[in-house]
């Protein structure tokens, strides 16, 4: 899980404080750290919006921050580990954007591997025949259609009369020697057969690597926000605590 923990000592010289101020330092420090962590989290959300193309609201809101306590002056900012009902936890599918490297396998890829359609170690990228949702991701109902058709081997009928077509799906494996498909890139194709013509449209292509460059530097982002926010938040929290001290 991408996480950054920032531990900051109070910037005030404790010897220069009076007894009332000195007693409020732990509280003021905890409050300042908590508010600073929230500022880091907001900056992280802004960075996700900037870096990703049309991120889902659930991706933007996948961040979290935990408050500091008087006896534990640490605040944590990171990406949630909670697994949604229909996919991977944000900490898994966003991991490579924080660290770089080869990404993990998506549920669709695991399903294709289980059906022995996708070679071990290979990944999948959407092709021209895979419709995208408004966030630029493959439409889930189309992915389910492809996986279901490959599993059952059944074809679908679309249209009526002269426009009626039989639609099926087939897989081209790497190194395929069949002359009918040898010219095609490895992947999953939609076969469209009409009375007058036929076509093969790629919907998913197989690639050996799907590598990401690190696009979000969370430690550097946190350090920038802490440098600006913590002193200001600590001074404000200490002043407020002294005013209301009993």
């Amino acid at each position: 899980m991408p996480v950054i923990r920032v531990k900051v000592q109070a910037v005030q010289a404790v010897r220069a404080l009076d007894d009332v101020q000195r007693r409020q330092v732990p509280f003021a420090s905890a409050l300042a750290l908590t508010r600073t962590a929230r500022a880091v989290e907001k900056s992280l959300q802004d960075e996700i919006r900037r870096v990703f193309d049309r991120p889902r609201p659930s991706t933007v809101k996948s961040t979290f921050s935990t408050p500091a306590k008087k006896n534990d002056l640490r605040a944590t900012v990171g990406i949630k580990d909670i697994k949604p009902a229909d996919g991977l936890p944000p900490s898994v599918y966003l991991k490579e954007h924080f660290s770089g490297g080869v990404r993990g396998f998506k549920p669709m890829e695991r399903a294709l591997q289980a059906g022995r359609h996708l070679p071990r170690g290979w990944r999948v990228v959407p092709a021209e025949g895979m419709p995208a949702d408004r966030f630029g991701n493959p439409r889930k109902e189309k992915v389910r259609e492809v996986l279901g058709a490959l599993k059952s081997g059944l074809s679908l009928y679309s249209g009526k009369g002269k426009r009626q077509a039989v639609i099926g799906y087939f897989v081209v494996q790497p190194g395929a020697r069949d002359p009918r498909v040898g010219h095609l890139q490895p992947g999953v194709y939609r076969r469209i057969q009409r009375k007058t013509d036929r076509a093969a449209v790629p919907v998913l292509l197989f690639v050996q690597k799907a590598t990401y460059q690190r696009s979000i530097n969370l430690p550097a982002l946190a350090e920038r926000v802490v440098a600006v926010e913590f002193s200001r938040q600590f001074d404000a929290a200490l002043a407020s605590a002294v005013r209301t001290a009993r």
Side-chain angles (χ1 to χ4, degrees):
M1 174 180 63
V3 167
I4 180 67
R5 292 182 174 86
V6 179
K7 187 173 182 179
V8 184
Q9 294 182 345
V11 294
Q12 305 282 17
V14 175
R15 285 185 226 167
L17 303 178
D18 59 32
D19 290 340
V20 174
Q21 292 173 319
R22 201 173 289 120
R23 288 196 299 270
Q24 298 303 322
V25 165
F27 170 81
S29 298
L31 183 57
L33 280 170
T34 298
R35 290 174 175 172
T36 301
R38 289 173 184 165
V40 172
E41 183 183 6
K42 182 180 182 303
S43 293
L44 176 56
Q45 291 177 344
D46 292 341
E47 188 73 352
I48 289 173
R49 292 188 186 95
R50 185 189 69 81
V51 168
F52 298 152
D53 178 26
R54 293 170 293 166
R56 292 177 179 272
S58 58
T59 298
V60 177
K61 295 178 181 179
S62 66
T63 62
F64 75 90
S65 62
T66 62
K69 300 177 182 178
K70 290 193 295 183
N71 60 350
D72 186 7
L73 296 178
R74 291 178 295 179
T76 302
V77 178
I79 301 295
K80 296 174 183 175
D81 272 332
I82 300 173
K83 183 181 184 300
D86 59 349
L88 296 170
S91 61
V92 174
Y93 71 77
L94 291 176
K95 180 176 63 175
E96 290 78 19
H97 295 282
F98 290 85
S99 61
V102 178
R103 69 163 170 80
F105 292 100
K106 298 180 178 180
M108 170 177 58
E109 292 167 331
R110 295 190 184 280
L112 289 169
Q113 288 175 339
R116 298 185 178 180
H117 303 299
L118 180 65
R120 175 176 290 186
W122 287 58
R123 268 75 170 176
V124 163
V125 295
E128 60 182 271
M130 174 58 71
D133 62 20
R134 61 194 179 97
F135 303 109
N137 300 309
R139 287 171 54 182
K140 293 180 180 179
E141 67 271 19
K142 287 299 180 181
V143 172
R144 288 193 292 266
E145 177 184 305
V146 171
L147 295 177
L150 289 177
K151 184 176 181 180
S152 66
L154 298 177
S155 297
L156 308 172
Y157 287 85
S158 175
K160 295 181 180 180
K162 294 182 179 180
R163 302 186 65 180
Q164 187 179 64
V166 181
I167 299 175
Y169 292 91
F170 66 95
V171 176
V172 177
Q173 294 286 353
R177 297 182 179 180
D178 188 330
R180 294 173 298 176
V181 299
H183 63 289
L184 298 176
Q185 184 175 343
V188 180
Y189 288 76
R190 181 186 297 119
R191 180 191 295 111
I192 305 173
Q193 185 171 345
R194 301 182 181 90
K195 290 183 179 180
T196 57
D197 66 329
R198 64 178 58 188
V201 180
V203 291
L204 299 170
L205 295 178
F206 299 164
V207 295
Q208 288 185 291
K209 287 186 178 181
T211 304
Y212 289 96
Q213 297 292 326
R214 182 169 72 168
S215 55
I216 298 178
N217 189 335
L218 184 52
L221 181 149
E223 289 175 4
R224 288 196 302 270
V225 176
V226 169
V228 173
E229 286 289 325
F230 180 76
S231 294
R232 182 174 66 84
Q233 294 291 352
F234 178 81
D235 290 343
L238 182 60
S240 177
V242 169
R243 282 197 306 272
T244 59
R246 296 181 180 178

